[in-house]
Amino acid sequence: MTRWRAVAAGFALAACSETLVFLGTGRVTLVGGLAGSALAGYLASGRLDDGAWHGLLTAMAWGIVLIPGLVALSVIADAPLPFPIEYLLPLLNTPGEATAMILLSASLPNVAAGALGSVARREDDRTQSADGASTPSPSDGDPDEI
């Protein structure tokens, strides 16, 4: 089950961090999306599949905003491609390779970041239970989370 609050929180973190990076450097990176995906995975649950799914959803939601913004920046201000795409694009030979590289670089790292966020959540939950603190109850009563 998708936890939209986790996706919204990840999206908000991605937007805020990318805005700060852009204002500070004048460049766009993919780091904000990674941070947002990790947060979404952490907030979703301690299960790897949930974290990966919520990381992917955050990446797609952020990409819907980021890609048109990048196109507008490149047309209006002649801005470079986001890091690391600007360095990898010259190594590719066909538009198909470029498209595959852009899509994979915008999704797979975010899936991994979401999964890492859920691992961090699981470790935090284990630490809390080992310290004798009560574990939080699942937000939606999902028996798989208990």
Side-chain angles (χ1 to χ4, degrees):
M1 181 174 192
T2 301
R3 290 162 186 86
W4 292 106
R5 289 181 185 168
V7 174
F11 179 90
L13 178 63
C16 291
S17 61
E18 279 301 324
T19 301
L20 290 174
V21 168
F22 182 74
L23 291 175
T25 65
R27 301 185 56 103
V28 178
T29 65
L30 301 178
V31 174
L34 289 173
S37 293
L39 177 65
Y42 182 85
L43 295 175
S45 77
R47 291 178 41 200
L48 286 177
D49 59 340
D50 271 349
W53 171 246
H54 287 83
L56 180 63
L57 285 177
T58 301
M60 295 303 107
W62 177 233
I64 289 170
V65 173
L66 184 66
I67 291 172
L70 288 174
V71 170
L73 279 174
S74 67
V75 170
I76 295 170
D78 197 30
L81 293 170
F83 174 84
I85 295 173
E86 67 178 317
Y87 298 110
L88 298 175
L89 207 54
L91 302 174
L92 306 175
N93 296 322
T94 66
E97 289 176 349
T99 301
M101 190 269 308
I102 289 171
L103 291 175
L104 290 174
S105 69
S107 60
L108 290 181
N110 296 78
V111 169
L116 286 174
S118 67
V119 168
R121 165 78 174 262
R122 185 183 315 157
E123 292 301 316
D124 284 349
D125 289 346
R126 284 183 187 160
T127 303
Q128 284 180 352
S129 64
D131 291 341
S134 63
T135 58
S137 62
S139 59
D140 61 347
D142 188 6
D144 292 338
E145 292 184 4
I146 298 177

